[in-house]
Amino acid sequence: MTLQDILDPLLDASWKGFPHHSPPLRRSAVGTQGWNVLRGDLPLPLAVIRRDALAGNLQWMQDFVGSHGVSLAPHGKTTMSPQLFRRQLDAGAWGLTFATVTQLRAGVTAGAKRCLIANQVFQAVDLQGIADLKRSHTGLSVAFLVDSLAQAELIEAWYTANPHAQPFDVLLEIGVDGGRTGCRSHGQALALAQRLGACKGTRLVGIECYEGLGATGQSDADTAYANALMQRVRDIAKACDEQQLFETQEILLTAGGSAIFDLVAEHLKMKLSRPVLGLLRSGCYVTHDHGTYHRFMNAVAARMGCGHGLHAAMEVWAAVQSCPEPGLTILSVGKRDISYDLELPVPLGLCKAGETAMMPAPADWKITGLNDQHAYLRGSGPEHQALRVGDLVALGISHPCTTFDKWRWMPVVDEQTNVCDAIVTCF
């Protein structure tokens, strides 16, 4: 696959949301077609990205890490969009983070030179995949997570059978009881670090944790939780440094997540025997949302004493397709089109059929359920009673990751929903 195939693929009417009447177009030509979402130029449902909010989010997060003396390696799994990868790198990101070797390949093809895999890698096919990518992309840096002796032995066995490969850069993962992966105790972590140091197939380059699953949105609880976790990270980093277990000129300390990034950023800076690079791996900031992360950001803003620095950039438009009974309207959007894993979508606005002006959704409107292709919009006021088949409704999302993966492409729109650009995804 060429770089053009990744960055500027050919779109056609087989792509959901692409106009039925349009001939195939390169992605880069989409913004010159004069399309407008509210005018009905594209079939619904349709996920769109707001241009100005996207640009603001990219700049705000880059300013945040710069002001806190750390760097950013955004989690690419959120969008899996080569165009957004390039936007993040061009904005100043140190590198990109992924969850799998397949995702890594897409990021490298899009131009990433420094990458993290925030996950355990141990299958021979994946180890071979990393080795092949590094061999074919001069200067590519890839580090992945290790959290068990069993994983370390699998890596060492592969390396023994492939002695001409380069050793793998690895990060020691620190976890929490009841959480996902990661070492549960200081002793376990230190023993693993010592084993990694003895392995020929690994180079310990830093310490990692993921704090997101423990976030609640309550500042007191989140602060105590983050402080305790990050102290464990710092303690094991200090112990590994004292025993000279790091095999790198610059030690990486990294935490991920878009919920309480402000609480971990300061902990990623510490004095060791060699330079330390702190890396945040937030991903959802790029489009933010109208639900879960919006509430988390309210708490971040209160702790920082600043305004709401991130703004929701993604919304999904649907049509009213049926008004079958009083108080219930059925929209032409469902689980195949929009996030529902954390919370149901949030009604944002309304555009009457034949008009192009968006009005805010009344406070009593609520999505109460989703089927594969249908959404249940309920309301009790006169605005809901006035809905007619053909009217358009905008829905906000909670958790951008699971809306991105439902779309092969998304138009980027201005404030009047004129299509000015487009992104594609590689899920």
Side-chain angles (χ1 to χ4, degrees):
M1 183 175 291
T2 68
L3 185 58
Q4 184 185 36
D5 293 330
I6 289 288
L7 295 179
D8 200 23
L10 196 66
L11 283 63
D12 60 34
S14 69
W15 295 48
K16 180 173 65 173
F18 191 85
H20 307 305
H21 62 275
S22 173
L25 293 171
R26 288 287 177 185
R27 181 206 59 81
S28 59
V30 167
T32 65
Q33 302 306 302
W35 296 335
N36 182 279
V37 176
L38 300 187
R39 197 170 58 223
D41 295 331
L42 300 98
L44 302 183
L46 183 68
V48 304
I49 297 175
R50 293 282 184 173
R51 177 190 64 189
D52 295 345
L54 170 65
N57 292 344
L58 290 167
Q59 188 61 55
W60 189 92
M61 185 57 81
Q62 203 61 51
D63 290 344
F64 172 85
V65 296
S67 67
H68 284 72
V70 297
S71 295
L72 182 65
H75 212 317
K77 73 175 176 62
T78 297
T79 70
M80 283 306 296
S81 169
Q83 293 74 40
L84 294 179
F85 295 165
R86 295 295 288 263
R87 290 283 299 270
Q88 289 169 312
L89 292 169
D90 290 346
W94 171 90
L96 295 173
T97 300
F98 299 98
T100 69
V101 177
T102 300
Q103 293 175 3
L104 168 70
R105 183 177 297 277
V108 171
T109 304
K113 298 295 186 183
R114 292 181 290 204
C115 300
L116 306 179
I117 298 181
N119 216 346
Q120 278 66 34
V121 179
F122 52 87
Q123 286 189 289
V125 65
D126 286 332
L127 296 169
Q128 185 67 59
I130 294 174
D132 290 345
L133 280 171
K134 292 181 69 175
R135 189 162 42 246
S136 60
H137 292 79
T138 302
L140 175 63
S141 170
V142 179
F144 60 82
L145 308 188
V146 176
D147 76 341
S148 69
L149 292 171
Q151 182 194 357
E153 298 307 329
L154 287 173
I155 298 168
E156 187 71 353
W158 183 91
Y159 184 78
T160 300
N162 297 271
H164 298 298
Q166 299 176 20
F168 295 101
D169 290 349
V170 297
L171 297 158
L172 182 65
E173 183 175 22
I174 305 302
V176 297
D177 289 343
R180 294 192 304 211
T181 51
C183 297
R184 296 315 203 240
S185 71
H186 184 91
Q188 178 194 5
L190 188 56
L192 177 56
Q194 292 166 344
R195 178 63 185 124
L196 293 171
C199 288
K200 295 181 179 180
T202 56
R203 295 173 64 246
L204 182 62
V205 299
I207 311 295
E208 184 273 353
C209 73
Y210 172 62
E211 78 286 350
L213 289 181
T216 66
Q218 303 298 315
S219 286
D220 288 346
D222 288 346
T223 300
Y225 162 74
N227 288 347
L229 175 58
M230 296 311 297
Q231 188 58 54
R232 291 179 55 213
V233 169
R234 291 166 67 90
D235 287 345
I236 192 63
K238 182 179 179 181
C240 290
D241 188 49
E242 290 173 345
Q243 296 190 25
Q244 299 182 340
L245 297 176
F246 291 117
E247 299 181 71
T248 178
Q249 295 302 309
E250 185 176 55
I251 299 167
L252 303 182
L253 287 188
T254 175
S258 299
I260 54 172
F261 54 87
D262 62 312
L263 296 178
V264 301
E266 289 298 326
H267 293 285
L268 297 176
K269 299 181 293 186
M270 64 182 300
K271 296 284 188 181
L272 294 175
S273 66
R274 61 194 74 185
V276 174
L277 176 65
L279 284 175
L280 283 178
R281 304 193 311 275
S282 306
C284 293
Y285 79 91
V286 67
T287 57
H288 200 46
D289 72 9
H290 298 87
T292 298
Y293 288 106
H294 175 79
R295 287 191 295 277
F296 280 128
M297 189 62 204
N298 284 339
V300 172
R303 289 192 294 267
M304 293 177 59
C306 65
H308 204 305
L310 299 175
H311 298 278
M314 187 192 295
E315 57 199 35
V316 180
W317 282 87
V320 173
Q321 71 178 80
S322 182
C323 302
E325 60 189 61
L328 174 63
T329 293
I330 303 300
L331 305 180
S332 61
V333 64
K335 292 180 179 180
R336 297 184 183 274
D337 313 302
I338 197 166
S339 301
Y340 60 93
D341 56 318
L342 294 183
E343 299 175 26
L344 289 169
V346 180
L348 298 178
L350 162 70
C351 180
K352 301 298 291 184
E355 300 179 8
T356 57
M358 177 177 170
M359 299 172 286
D364 72 315
W365 284 17
K366 186 176 183 180
I367 299 295
T368 60
L370 294 174
N371 299 142
D372 284 359
Q373 310 281 180
H374 301 88
Y376 296 74
L377 172 63
R378 298 186 184 273
S380 57
E383 295 91 345
H384 192 276
Q385 295 174 13
L387 284 172
R388 297 292 181 266
V389 172
D391 292 344
L392 308 183
V393 176
L395 299 176
I397 63 167
S398 185
H399 195 195
C401 295
T402 50
T403 293
F404 271 107
D405 67 6
K406 294 170 174 55
W407 295 87
R408 296 171 64 192
W409 82 292
M410 293 183 191
V412 178
V413 302
D414 64 15
E415 288 303 305
Q416 290 74 44
T417 72
N418 296 306
V419 177
C420 52
D421 199 357
I423 63 101
V424 298
T425 65
C426 297
F427 287 99

